[in-house]
Amino acid sequence: MTVTAFAALHRAGEPLLLPCAWDHASALALAGQGFHAVGTTSLGVAAAAGLPDGASATRDETLRLALTLGSAPFLLSVDAEDGFSEDPDEVGEFARELAAVGAVGINLEDGLGPVDRHAAKIAAARAAAPGLFVNARTDTYWSGDGDPAETVRRLEAYREAGADGVFVPGLTDPARIASLAAHFDVPLNVLYSPAGPTLAHLADLGVRRVSLGSLLYRRALGAALETAAGIRSGRAPDGPTPTYDEVRTPG
């Protein structure tokens, strides 16, 4: 496999911290802070469109955002939920469309569905878009019981199918993180948790990619609510506020 610029950011000892945007303004603002790669958050994209997350309802919105961001001056990885289809060929076609508009990575989650079906989706994405970094996510810790053996079984199948990286959101136990990082020959991706290990600790454990998921989107909503409530109570807003012109002409 040719090492792409995006793959090269997954370094041992210095993991890729991947912030996740939900629209053009948030992505360009993050790039402006020096992030060379930006992901998308399926929750943010879905919520902004008034659609459910994790229900394969935002294929068009996700592709539209990728089209907007794919030519921007940063590397774009797209959260594609489960590929928006149970048909591996359709998932492969979506991966091809993402690569065509400039995305360099795709995240595919198994939702604890059949292992062979998700492996087939990964293989289809690899075949349809050979240069795309395919990050294979298992939800054993996110929505399952966190069975270590099941986690390894699923990830081994996805790696065999051609995954370039493996992703276990919800995993925060340092010993289990270190064990998984050592087990696989591809980068381990975890989801940052404010209650879990720090970025430096995750680096020491062997993690090579740390995603922020929907955290920034939810924090932005929290800041908006706090600001509105504060003004209603007679308090002036504090904290950083981008100017009108900075948002209007990002980058």
Side-chain angles (χ1 to χ4, degrees), residues 28-96:
L28 269 289
L30 289 165
Q33 288 295 305
F35 289 97
H36 299 299
V38 175
T40 64
T41 161
S42 65
L43 174 64
V45 173
L51 295 169
D53 182 36
S56 297
T58 57
R59 185 188 192 280
D60 292 345
E61 288 76 10
T62 299
L63 186 59
R64 189 177 303 117
L65 181 58
L67 178 62
T68 301
L69 299 178
S71 60
F74 54 81
L75 301 171
L76 175 68
S77 182
V78 175
D79 184 349
E81 297 186 6
D82 65 350
F84 303 115
S85 175
E86 298 304 333
D87 183 343
D89 289 339
E90 291 182 0
V91 175
E93 174 58 20
F94 188 69
R96 187 199 64 77

Side-chain angles (χ1 to χ4, degrees), residues 48-206:
L51 295 169
D53 182 36
S56 297
T58 57
R59 185 188 192 280
D60 292 345
E61 288 76 10
T62 299
L63 186 59
R64 189 177 303 117
L65 181 58
L67 178 62
T68 301
L69 299 178
S71 60
F74 54 81
L75 301 171
L76 175 68
S77 182
V78 175
D79 184 349
E81 297 186 6
D82 65 350
F84 303 115
S85 175
E86 298 304 333
D87 183 343
D89 289 339
E90 291 182 0
V91 175
E93 174 58 20
F94 188 69
R96 187 199 64 77
E97 290 178 300
L98 289 180
V101 299
V104 298
I106 184 173
N107 191 73
L108 294 172
E109 61 195 51
D110 66 9
L112 296 183
V115 173
D116 57 349
R117 184 177 66 201
H118 198 61
K121 293 181 183 183
I122 292 164
R126 293 288 300 132
L132 205 62
F133 187 104
V134 180
N135 201 42
R137 166 177 156 172
T138 184
D139 291 315
T140 49
Y141 281 83
W142 188 249
S143 54
D145 60 7
D147 179 9
E150 176 66 6
T151 300
V152 170
R153 183 181 77 89
R154 286 176 174 270
L155 294 183
E156 284 181 341
Y158 305 156
R159 175 67 185 106
E160 181 67 22
D164 299 291
V166 292
F167 183 23
V168 190
L171 175 60
T172 58
D173 178 75
R176 291 187 177 181
I177 291 172
S179 177
L180 277 180
H183 184 83
F184 289 96
D185 63 345
V186 294
L188 173 65
N189 179 191
V190 300
L191 185 69
Y192 172 79
S193 169
T198 64
L199 182 61
H201 191 185
L202 290 171
D204 291 340
L205 296 172

